[in-house]
Every structure is written in C-alpha cells, then in structure tokens.
Amino acid sequence: MAVLDEHATERSLDRRALALLQANTRRRELDGRRGRFTVPSARQYPFQWFWDSCFHAIVWSRFDWRRAAEELDAIFAWQRPSGFIPHVVFWDQRRISAWKWWHYMESLGHPWRKPHTTEQIQPPVLALAVVRIAEAGGGEPYVRRVLPMLAAFHEHLARERDHDGDGLISVISQFETGLDFSPVWQGGRRRRWGPSVFVRLRRPQVPVRLSGYDLERVFRGDRHQESVLVNSIYGRALRALARLARSVGDERLAATADGRADRVTEALVAKCWDRRSGLFQDLVGSGEERTRVKTISALMPLVLPDLPPEHVERLVDNLTDPRRFRSRYPVPSVALDEPTFARDSRLWGIRLIWRGPLSLNTNWLLAHGLAEHGHEDLARELGDRSRELVLRHGFNEFYDPLDGSPVGEPHFGWATLATDLP
Ligand code: GLC
C-alpha cells in the first residue's frame, strides 16, 4: 500500500511540475532570434535566466527531451563569439523598467537603448543539463550539435575568469553567484540593518558598470571573489563536459576538461578548506581573504565526485548538525547559528533573498552529491523533505527552514526539481 501511495504521489508531482513548466513557457523573438523558454515565475521574473533555464531543461528532459533542448537553444542563441553566455536574456522588452536598478546595472543598456542581455554570468550548470538531454533521448547527434558551443563556453570561463591562474574562476558581483543577498561576503558577526545590506551588495556594481564590464580593470580592483558554490558547479560541469566529449570521441577536449576539473578540486581543498569548521570558504579579492560566514556555498563541494572522503564526512557532519544546517526542513541557505540568519527579510518591498530560507535547486545539487558519495539515506531524507514541502505548499521560490512555509514567489520553475530528487 505504501509503495502504491508513493507511486501515486510521484505521478501527481510529475503532472503538476509539467503543468507549471508549460504555464511558464514563453515564445519570443528578439533581435532576429527566436526562443521558447521557461520563465522562473510569471510576475517577478519575466525573462530567461541562465541557471534557472538549465534546471528547467533538466526537469523538461524527464517529459520531453526536445523541449528541453529548445530551452537550452534559447540560451545558446545569445552566446557571443568569445564564448560568453549572459545570465539574463530580456526577451520581453516591455518588462524592462528604469525602476529596476539591475536591468541597467547588470547590462550595458540605457533607458534610450534597452538592453537585450546582461553582461554577467551565473553558476555554470549548463553541461549538467546537456548530459541529461543526451541521456533522455538526444543521444550522440544532440551531443555533436551542442558540444562546440559548450566547449567555447567553458573555454571562455577558463580564459576570462581565472585571472590569477589558480584553476578557480572568479565572479565580479555577488549577483553572479546566483545567491543575490547572501551574507556570504558580508563578514558579518552581527545582524545588519536592511538598507546597509542592500547598499553593500549593490554598490560594488557601480564601478563595474562604469568600466563597461572591462574584466581586466575589474580584476585589478578588489571587488571580485572566488565563490565556492560557483567553482564546485564549475568543477562538476567540467567532468560532465569531459564525459560528453569522450562519448563522441573527442579525447583532446575530454583531457583538457578533466585536467581543469582536477585543478578545481585541488584548489578548493588547498585554498578554501577550513579545518576548524569543516567547511569551505569563499575567497575575496586579490588577497584571497576568506569569508567566515557559514552559508550554503560552504557545502557545495559535495557535488564534486573526486572530493576526498575526509572532506565529505566533515561536510556531512555540518549538514546533520542541528545547530548549523540540520533544520526541520533542510538545507537552510545560511546556517542557523549565524547572527545573520533570517527566516525571511524584506526591505522597501524588496526581498533580500538567500539569507536563510531553503531553495530546491541547492537541495537538488546536494542530494545528488550525497547519493554519489554513498550517503543514500541522507540524500533520500533530503528528497523526502523537499517533496513534502512541495506537496504541502506548491512549487515555491524558497521555504522557511523552520516551519516549511513558503517564502518568495509561487509557481516557481526550478522548484520542479522536486520531481528529480533521490
Ligand atoms: C534571483 C536568484 C537567482 C535566480 C533569479 C531568477 O535573482 O538569486 O539565483 O537565478 O532570481 O530566478
């Protein structure tokens, strides 16, 4: 009976996920390019976001691999000759607004010339989605079609973002990590007042924008960071790229990708590991000062298949520590014992996100990482808790880690990853 119930629940979750992805689907044309893609949420996020679309493609591939491939095609359509892929495509130009600071701050647009894309990156999840589409039916022909674009994307990251040559890539704004207002860079021993959080995180974007997103100039300053979350995903994606390359006989590309992936893991362990807390720490600026705030970023190396077992075990200790990351509904985006932890925070109607509530994209990454490292029980528990949240409250942007109540936008795209958890 229990098994029957479980199957019925899974089927109903699948149905609901598919209905949401369909409802959030948009077909648009801009600048001579056409795209069919899924918006994260109709009201608050009406454009195409890079890592959201990769997660959407992963879920789409469970139902319809061709639609999943289309989702990524709408991303590839905006790849520049350098290999760069922007983090947002403003397909719907009517939704651009001078009131939304970031539309102009994160792009080179002006109110008299609206931007088509941003100039920023987001965590490079792309190769993970390509693997899933290939496995779901795209096969070798699909891999052959997208591999040159995927390789160029990774080449760009290695060439343009690893300015100090240590194997880790750098972000030039916190908003590139996908963890917008996370206290990760805040140093914070104490709870900070909302406006100061906003200003602290938005202000560094001004000189970057004024430089015209000139990376050389930005890297000469001290505003950049080597994010553990971004690099863990980067390392994981490089392994996926290597696998894809090998599947079509491109040994050279496979060896380059594997070599880079090795360096990512080595550098994370050598430079970011904090033995005392058993967590990984982001590096700030050219001096590589470590951030000490315990956030979801600190756990992300669990996605690396070659993370040494002693590091895996220490991360698991943190994940299962009720004072830190073991909340009733795991995994909080900020550890419970951090003074900056908040169940929800808002400022002038703006939500300061990633300061406590949990998100299903990070749960998805961690759950699969745990399963691969042999922690199937913990992975399954994370999966069960996540499914429970969706069954009770629907597909939401975030959830309160203490009582599970929904936080942020409803009908949120990547929450459909709940259908793809262990
Ligand atoms: C917020 C999130 C970012 C996400 C975007 C669209 O900016 O921090 O990770 O990609 O919303 O959902």
Side-chain angles (χ1 to χ4, degrees):
M1 189 58 194
V3 174
L4 267 182
D5 279 354
E6 212 167 278
H7 289 325
T9 308
E10 271 168 27
R11 272 202 307 276
S12 113
L13 259 191
D14 275 349
R15 255 201 319 272
R16 288 163 59 187
L18 179 57
L20 171 55
L21 293 180
Q22 282 165 341
N24 284 8
T25 290
R26 303 285 179 273
R27 205 188 271 278
R28 297 271 183 265
E29 203 179 324
L30 178 64
D31 208 9
R33 298 162 225 229
R34 282 163 200 274
R36 190 151 71 121
F37 59 93
T38 316
V39 294
S41 84
R43 202 174 57 116
Q44 180 74 15
Y45 301 107
F47 307 113
Q48 183 177 25
W49 265 262
F50 175 86
W51 77 329
D52 297 70
S53 258
C54 296
F55 291 126
H56 298 155
I58 289 168
V59 183
W60 269 118
S61 72
R62 297 168 57 86
F63 308 118
D64 177 354
W65 73 264
R66 289 190 177 80
R67 174 64 185 82
E70 252 187 283
E71 185 85 16
L72 298 191
D73 286 345
I75 291 180
F76 283 129
W78 294 90
Q79 184 169 36
R80 304 203 185 143
S82 65
F84 169 82
I85 299 182
H87 100 292
V88 174
V89 180
F90 298 106
W91 288 98
D92 192 346
Q93 296 273 291
R94 295 164 310 175
R95 301 292 295 267
I96 295 179
S97 154
W99 294 105
K100 301 255 177 182
W101 148 294
W102 69 268
H103 292 178
Y104 291 103
M105 215 55 197
E106 298 181 9
S107 73
L108 292 176
H110 299 287
W112 56 94
R113 212 193 67 225
K114 290 184 175 181
H116 289 181
T117 70
T118 56
E119 299 296 315
Q120 298 191 160
I121 57 167
Q122 251 188 342
V125 196
L126 190 55
L128 308 191
V130 170
V131 166
R132 292 294 295 267
I133 297 172
E135 287 171 356
E140 214 184 293
Y142 178 69
V143 176
R144 287 192 188 281
R145 175 162 80 78
V146 299
L147 196 59
M149 299 183 282
L150 191 62
F153 171 64
H154 282 270
E155 207 43 52
H156 173 265
L157 293 176
R159 192 183 60 238
E160 302 292 329
R161 290 307 187 111
D162 181 12
H163 63 105
D164 58 1
D166 65 357
L168 301 177
I169 56 173
S170 294
V171 292
I172 55 173
S173 146
Q174 173 144 327
F175 299 87
E176 289 198 321
T177 66
L179 309 178
D180 298 11
F181 292 101
S182 167
V184 67
W185 293 6
Q186 190 174 306
R189 280 289 112 224
R190 65 205 154 85
R191 201 180 278 276
R192 283 183 195 266
W193 188 51
S196 78
V197 170
F198 186 83
V199 172
R200 249 182 110 84
L201 289 168
R202 283 297 188 193
R203 195 183 46 203
Q205 293 186 302
V206 176
V208 176
R209 173 69 176 82
L210 290 177
S211 82
Y213 280 85
D214 177 340
L215 290 181
E216 252 178 59
R217 273 169 66 185
V218 176
F219 285 135
R220 258 184 265 134
D222 249 347
R223 301 271 184 218
H224 46 90
Q225 296 245 353
E226 287 159 304
S227 150
V228 170
L229 175 133
V230 170
N231 279 288
S232 303
I233 291 175
Y234 176 54
R236 174 78 212 207
L238 283 164
R239 293 280 176 221
L241 176 63
R243 206 173 117 200
L244 289 163
R246 208 157 273 130
S247 75
V248 295
D250 190 340
E251 281 303 327
R252 231 168 62 132
L253 177 57
T256 307
D258 266 334
R260 284 184 180 149
D262 290 344
R263 290 196 64 211
V264 170
T265 306
E266 280 161 26
L268 282 171
V269 168
K271 293 183 146 192
C272 303
W273 176 244
D274 177 50
R275 193 186 300 274
R276 241 182 43 168
S277 61
L279 292 166
F280 287 84
Q281 298 174 330
D282 289 20
L283 308 175
V284 186
S286 310
E288 302 196 329
E289 189 197 326
R290 286 161 171 237
T291 56
R292 310 223 169 259
V293 188
K294 300 184 293 295
T295 70
I296 195 80
S297 187
L299 302 168
M300 277 300 151
L302 278 171
V303 305
L304 296 169
D306 56 341
L307 189 69
E310 65 264 33
H311 296 84
V312 172
E313 295 318 310
R314 296 288 309 277
L315 291 178
V316 167
D317 289 346
N318 268 283
L319 258 175
T320 50
D321 181 344
R323 284 161 311 168
R324 292 191 170 177
F325 289 100
R326 172 69 154 244
S327 49
R328 174 145 172 237
Y329 294 96
V331 178
S333 49
V334 175
L336 304 174
D337 63 350
E338 282 291 342
T340 45
F341 169 85
R343 294 169 73 173
D344 191 7
S345 31
R346 285 179 201 234
L347 170 74
W348 311 312
I350 303 170
R351 214 170 216 120
L352 299 177
I353 54 179
W354 295 104
R355 299 180 72 77
L358 72 106
S359 171
L360 292 187
N361 68 331
T362 43
N363 273 12
W364 181 85
L365 287 161
L366 290 173
H368 286 286
L370 284 168
E372 280 173 21
H373 285 293
H375 284 279
E376 278 95 359
D377 287 351
L378 203 51
R380 176 81 196 179
E381 200 191 313
L382 196 47
D384 285 343
R385 285 299 197 186
S386 304
R387 281 183 287 270
E388 185 190 326
L389 286 173
V390 171
L391 288 169
R392 283 177 47 194
H393 301 291
F395 297 107
N396 225 82
E397 185 181 8
F398 294 99
Y399 302 87
D400 183 322
L402 304 189
D403 68 8
S405 57
V407 176
E409 286 297 293
H411 313 298
F412 193 79
W414 77 35
T416 56
L417 286 167
T419 59
D420 194 66
L421 284 167

